[in-house]
Amino acid sequence: MREISSRWPAWGADAGLVALTLLPPPLSQPSTDTSGTAWSLLIGYEAVAALVLVLRRRLPVTAFVTVVGAVVVSVTGGAGEGVKLSPLVFLPLAVLLYNLGSHCAHWSRTVLAMLCGGALILVGLGVNRTTVTAGDFRGGVDVLAVLAPMPLAWALGFAARTRRALLAAAEQRVADATRAQRLRAERAAQQERVRIAREMHDVVAHSLTLLVVHAEALRARGGELPAWARTQADGLAAAGRQTGGELRDLLRMLRDPADAAPLRPTPGLGDLGALLDSHRAAGGTVDVRVGTELASLPSPVQLAGYRIVQESLTNARRHAPGSPVRLTVDGIAGHLRFEVANGRGAGGGTTGAGAGLGLVSMRERVDALGGELTAGPTDDGGFRVVATMPLEAAGV
């Protein structure tokens, strides 16, 4: 029903039904009675039936009773004038009985319509008996023979309405089941996020807090340390505090994704100087070449660029300590290009450090902005990371 209604407009369906219902009586009338009176009665009846058929969905009871009255008046009046109408004039009555069963959901109104229709028919038969003397124009068994199958039309309409109700109930159950499944999936995902946040808090946050405490203790005894150790302790404490704040924001968002606004400002390229200073404080050297304005870049690009530089510097300290790092930032044809390269380390790197997740994270950030990232060793034994991100996709 829904597929047909979406393919055919409502007015087209009504026009087709009116035509199929009202054309048969005029086509069969010439074989019944060709008098002008019969045609006048038939045309008047069909005009009423056409109007009622158009309004049948909104007024099923009124439409049914009106057509019953019209057919009774037409047939009885014609019999009183000595003319006959085609038996197919009862066809609109069958259509409206189907409509009554299909669209009238109140049993009390259905029973009332049936009683009114039956009363009109009985009154018509009574009037016919008193006004007509000829047996050929007196209703009797022939009328009952025509009306006997009519309840079947109502039963078909009732079956159609019941089927629609069952389909609607099934669709509602499917929608409820889908919604319940989605809620279960969201609840399971939330529980998993809470579990991950709890594990990260217990494993990482506690260790990071302990690291910061030790760094602060070293700073408190700075007079007993050489100058290079005091610088290292200051850098360690600052990095620990920054990382701890970012970790707390991450854990908070894991526990409640609806509260996604970070408590701390999102780092960007404006913080690049502090990041480079912390790398230098840890004993590294950086040669920086910036060929574009960084302050006006969109926030996603700034965050991705900051994280790429941060991860590249961390990898350089870890795998090639003491090696000079070259950072180049350029704007080329609507793209921002980052290149971070380091040479061979002066000493051995940290054995077994890292699991390659830093490169995965960098690639995911760049891919999310529609850019490209390449990373790999250089000919001189160093390592280079090149990231290119389009500014247009980021909203510039």
Side-chain angles (χ1 to χ4, degrees), residues 260-284:
L263 294 176
R264 303 168 65 88
T266 302
L269 296 179
D271 304 312
L272 200 57
L275 179 62
L276 298 176
D277 290 341
S278 66
H279 178 74
R280 295 187 181 101

Side-chain angles (χ1 to χ4, degrees), residues 30 34 42 56 91 94 116 160 180 205 222 250 278 310 335 347 353 358 379:
T34 58
L42 180 61
R56 70 189 184 281
L91 188 58
C116 290
L250 177 61
S278 66
Q310 183 184 42
H335 290 71
D379 295 337

Side-chain angles (χ1 to χ4, degrees), residues 32-388:
T32 304
D33 194 333
T34 58
S35 64
T37 303
W39 280 105
S40 298
L41 288 173
L42 180 61
I43 292 173
Y45 165 71
E46 291 219 327
V48 174
L51 178 62
V52 170
L53 285 171
V54 173
L55 302 175
R56 70 189 184 281
R57 294 190 184 92
R58 287 185 290 178
L59 302 170
V61 173
T62 303
F64 170 72
V65 175
T66 300
V67 166
V68 171
V71 74
V72 167
V73 169
S74 300
V75 174
T76 302
E81 295 293 330
V83 298
K84 286 185 177 181
L85 298 182
S86 169
L88 294 180
V89 295
F90 288 93
L91 188 58
L93 182 60
V95 172
L96 291 171
L97 267 174
Y98 176 90
N99 179 76
L100 184 66
S102 179
H103 292 91
C104 186
H106 302 283
W107 283 101
S108 58
R109 299 182 65 184
T110 300
V111 172
L112 179 62
M114 295 292 188
L115 291 177
C116 290
L120 288 174
I121 293 173
L122 291 177
V123 169
L125 288 174
V127 171
N128 178 259
R129 290 286 181 176
T130 58
T131 57
V132 176
T133 57
D136 292 340
F137 297 96
R138 181 176 294 178
V141 178
D142 55 340
V143 176
L144 296 178
V146 173
L147 295 178
M150 291 296 174
L152 181 61
W154 176 87
L156 291 175
F158 178 77
R161 178 163 60 87
T162 303
R163 179 177 177 273
R164 287 198 305 270
L166 291 175
L167 288 176
E171 291 176 355
Q172 184 61 42
R173 288 195 297 272
V174 170
D176 292 341
T178 302
R179 185 166 53 252
Q181 183 179 7
R182 186 172 62 251
L183 291 175
R184 286 195 298 269
E186 292 176 355
R187 190 178 301 113
Q190 176 62 23
Q191 291 175 352
E192 182 65 14
R193 284 193 295 266
V194 171
R195 186 189 68 81
I196 294 173
R198 183 171 57 249
E199 294 296 329
M200 289 181 64
H201 179 271
D202 293 342
V203 175
V204 181
H206 287 173
S207 299
L208 186 60
T209 301
L210 184 61
L211 183 147
V212 174
V213 169
H214 285 309
E216 294 289 351
L218 287 175
R219 291 182 63 193
R221 302 181 60 182
E224 304 176 11
L225 299 175
W228 65 267
R230 288 196 297 270
T231 303
Q232 294 282 359
D234 291 341
L236 182 62
R241 285 193 298 270
Q242 179 182 356
T243 305
E246 294 179 359
L247 181 61
R248 284 192 296 272
D249 289 345
L250 177 61
L251 296 180
R252 179 177 56 83
M253 287 186 285
L254 278 175
R255 292 182 180 274
D256 186 7
D259 188 16
L263 294 176
R264 303 168 65 88
T266 302
L269 296 179
D271 304 312
L272 200 57
L275 179 62
L276 298 176
D277 290 341
S278 66
H279 178 74
R280 295 187 181 101
T285 58
V286 186
D287 178 20
V288 182
R289 300 176 185 176
V290 179
T292 186
E293 177 63 35
L294 302 180
S296 60
L297 296 176
S299 298
V301 172
Q302 293 210 31
L303 176 59
Y306 180 89
R307 293 304 187 194
I308 290 171
V309 175
Q310 183 184 42
E311 183 65 27
S312 299
L313 294 178
T314 301
N315 288 339
R317 290 195 303 270
R318 177 183 301 157
H319 301 288
S323 170
V325 178
R326 184 180 70 257
L327 169 63
T328 305
V329 183
D330 287 317
I332 304 174
H335 290 71
L336 187 67
R337 182 178 182 274
F338 287 87
E339 180 179 349
V340 186
N342 61 268
R344 183 188 299 272
T350 305
T351 305
L357 297 180
L359 290 176
V360 174
S361 177
M362 286 192 291
R363 193 177 304 278
E364 289 176 348
R365 289 182 183 275
V366 174
D367 289 344
L369 295 176
E372 296 181 359
L373 184 138
T374 58
T378 59
D379 295 337
D380 61 355
F383 198 84
R384 182 176 64 178
V385 176
V386 179
T388 304

